[in-house]
Amino acid sequence: MSVTDTAGVTGTAMAGRVSASRSLQDELLRGLDAPICLTWEWTYACNLACVHCLSSSGRRDPRELTTAQMRSVVDQLADMQVFYVNVGGGEPMTRSDFFEVLEYSVDHGVGVKFSTNGGMITPEKARRLASLDYVDVQISLDGADAMTNDPVRGSGSYDRARTAMDHLAAAGFGAFKLSVVVTRHNVSQLDSFEMLARDYGAELRVTRLRPSGRGRDSWSQLHPTAAQQRDLHSWLLARPNVLTGDSFFHLAAYGQALPGLNLCGAGRVVCLIDPVGDVYACPFALHDHFRAGSVLDSGGFAAVWRGSELFTELREPGSAGACTSCGHYDACQGGCMAAKFFTGLPVDGPDPECVLGHGEAALAAVNAASLPTVDNDHSRNDHSRRRMLPLSVLR
């Protein structure tokens, strides 16, 4: 049984109904008793060093939650009736207790959709995953060929991901997901990704590149151009079954919204728990500015979600800020909070990839020295991302 995508509460059908209901959207903006999309990073340890890694992963944090603490978090989520979590990292399969915590979650009614680079999926592990209900696997691939993928994700990562997909198919896992972060170098390969997913009986999921973590350094070189964004919008409109995790709601300013909630759900319907138990308003904003508390605090996760000062503030009606005079604000809601923050733009300003070009003008006035620092960088070294991004090859 596969779990739902973040684009909708219960998949594409519900997403269509949600986007058609303005009153429900208003209710979601005020926050829910429990998140409908909870990302839980299980570790910062990773066997890769992707140049756009949102959490700057690589090395394990010595404060990482223990197995007992992980079980306690699962219990808390089950009590709140959180019915599934998006598990990531780092590479979650590097944890020695990966299957123990995974099976504990499923046994307690908390489904798991976990993202992996596939490098640790053996035939035996694929069979074990296939034997579990309410578990979904998402294989990350950022190029339809090794020449496009490996400069971003690391040498040999394309072949390892394809091998993992072969193992899952051979084990009879079913419709796993092929997850792609859209960049200016792979956006022309979307048809190829679609065919690859179809060949495996998998679902294609495409998400937006955010300038957070190590992505802050590579975003300017990797994010799609304005012309590519328009093509992407048209491509997605023609394929409502392609999952997006509601990543591209800023494209609604073109005049037609994509299926999904089409709003920033930070602290309202989504949030993130990091490997040491800290809770952040947004899965794409691992920064102290967006830290709301910790699952280790008194009252646990429920107390953070329902009573933190940050979440309460985010659920209050906000101002359109610099977008007040724009007639498309109701459609795009001003875009992505994390993308604005990490590019030095005010959170009530235009999205850096505003399709009307307002973001470009705002970025031109940003002082690079004033950009937010990357908190909690767990990269194995400071130079790995630069060595792995030979953009002359990509061009």
Side-chain angles (χ1 to χ4, degrees), residues 28-41:
L28 295 175
L29 285 170
R30 291 193 294 269
L32 302 177
D33 286 341
I36 60 174
C37 180
L38 171 61
T39 297
W40 186 5
E41 307 280 14

Side-chain angles (χ1 to χ4, degrees), residues 172-186:
F173 180 86
F176 61 87
K177 290 177 174 60
L178 171 59
S179 180
V180 178
V181 176
V182 179
T183 70
R184 69 180 57 177
H185 304 296
N186 67 21

Side-chain angles (χ1 to χ4, degrees), residues 278-290:
D278 287 339
V279 181
Y280 294 85
C282 173
F284 310 109
L286 289 175
H287 190 280
D288 280 347
H289 186 80
F290 299 103

Side-chain angles (χ1 to χ4, degrees), residues 72-83 105 108-110:
S72 174
V73 173
V74 172
D75 293 339
Q76 294 175 43
L77 300 180
D79 288 343
M80 293 179 68
Q81 298 184 324
V82 174
F83 63 93
S105 297
H108 287 74
V110 179

Side-chain angles (χ1 to χ4, degrees), residues 255-289:
Q256 187 171 354
L258 299 169
L261 301 179
N262 284 297
L263 55 84
C264 173
R268 298 158 172 154
V269 296
V270 307
C271 70
L272 174 139
I273 302 173
D274 83 347
V276 302
D278 287 339
V279 181
Y280 294 85
C282 173
F284 310 109
L286 289 175
H287 190 280
D288 280 347
H289 186 80

Side-chain angles (χ1 to χ4, degrees), residues 94-343:
T94 61
R95 283 191 67 117
S96 59
D97 60 359
F98 170 79
F99 277 102
E100 180 180 349
V101 179
L102 178 68
E103 292 167 357
Y104 186 85
S105 297
V106 173
D107 290 344
H108 287 74
V110 179
V112 173
K113 175 172 65 179
F114 77 94
S115 298
T116 174
N117 57 54
M120 301 184 72
I121 295 182
T122 62
E124 178 185 2
K125 290 177 180 178
R127 289 190 293 270
R128 189 170 180 181
L129 290 169
S131 71
L132 297 171
D133 289 330
Y134 213 15
V135 170
D136 199 7
V137 181
Q138 193 165 274
I139 303 291
S140 297
L141 200 64
D142 290 332
D145 51 57
M147 182 176 293
T148 307
N149 178 85
D150 287 9
V152 174
R153 301 191 62 83
S155 178
S157 59
Y158 177 84
D159 290 338
R160 288 192 290 273
R162 290 295 304 271
T163 298
M165 293 163 68
D166 291 339
H167 291 332
L168 290 172
F173 180 86
F176 61 87
K177 290 177 174 60
L178 171 59
S179 180
V180 178
V181 176
V182 179
T183 70
R184 69 180 57 177
H185 304 296
N186 67 21
V187 68
S188 63
Q189 299 179 331
L190 288 174
D191 288 339
S192 297
F193 284 120
E194 186 179 30
M195 288 187 290
L196 180 61
R198 187 181 301 127
D199 288 344
Y200 280 96
E203 294 181 280
L204 178 61
R205 184 175 188 270
V206 298
T207 57
R208 183 182 178 186
L209 173 72
R210 261 74 169 204
S212 50
R214 285 197 294 269
R216 194 189 72 160
D217 292 341
S218 58
W219 181 82
S220 62
Q221 304 167 74
L222 291 180
H223 77 91
T225 64
Q228 289 173 332
Q229 284 203 101
R230 181 171 285 279
D231 290 342
L232 172 63
H233 181 245
S234 299
W235 191 89
L236 289 172
L237 283 175
R239 293 163 177 80
N241 291 326
V242 171
L243 306 173
T244 65
D246 221 34
S247 290
F248 301 103
F249 62 92
H250 70 295
L251 298 182
Y254 279 129
Q256 187 171 354
L258 299 169
L261 301 179
N262 284 297
L263 55 84
C264 173
R268 298 158 172 154
V269 296
V270 307
C271 70
L272 174 139
I273 302 173
D274 83 347
V276 302
D278 287 339
V279 181
Y280 294 85
C282 173
F284 310 109
L286 289 175
H287 190 280
D288 280 347
H289 186 80
F290 299 103
R291 183 183 178 278
S294 170
V295 297
L296 302 179
D297 293 341
S298 177
F301 175 74
V304 179
W305 177 259
R306 294 169 179 165
S308 77
E309 182 178 344
L310 174 63
F311 286 176
T312 300
E313 179 182 340
L314 288 171
R315 292 163 188 166
E316 292 295 324
S319 166
C323 298
T324 300
S325 61
C326 179
H328 295 281
Y329 177 79
D330 286 343
C332 76
Q333 296 289 310
C336 175
M337 177 180 70
K340 288 184 275 191
F341 178 79
F342 286 109
T343 53

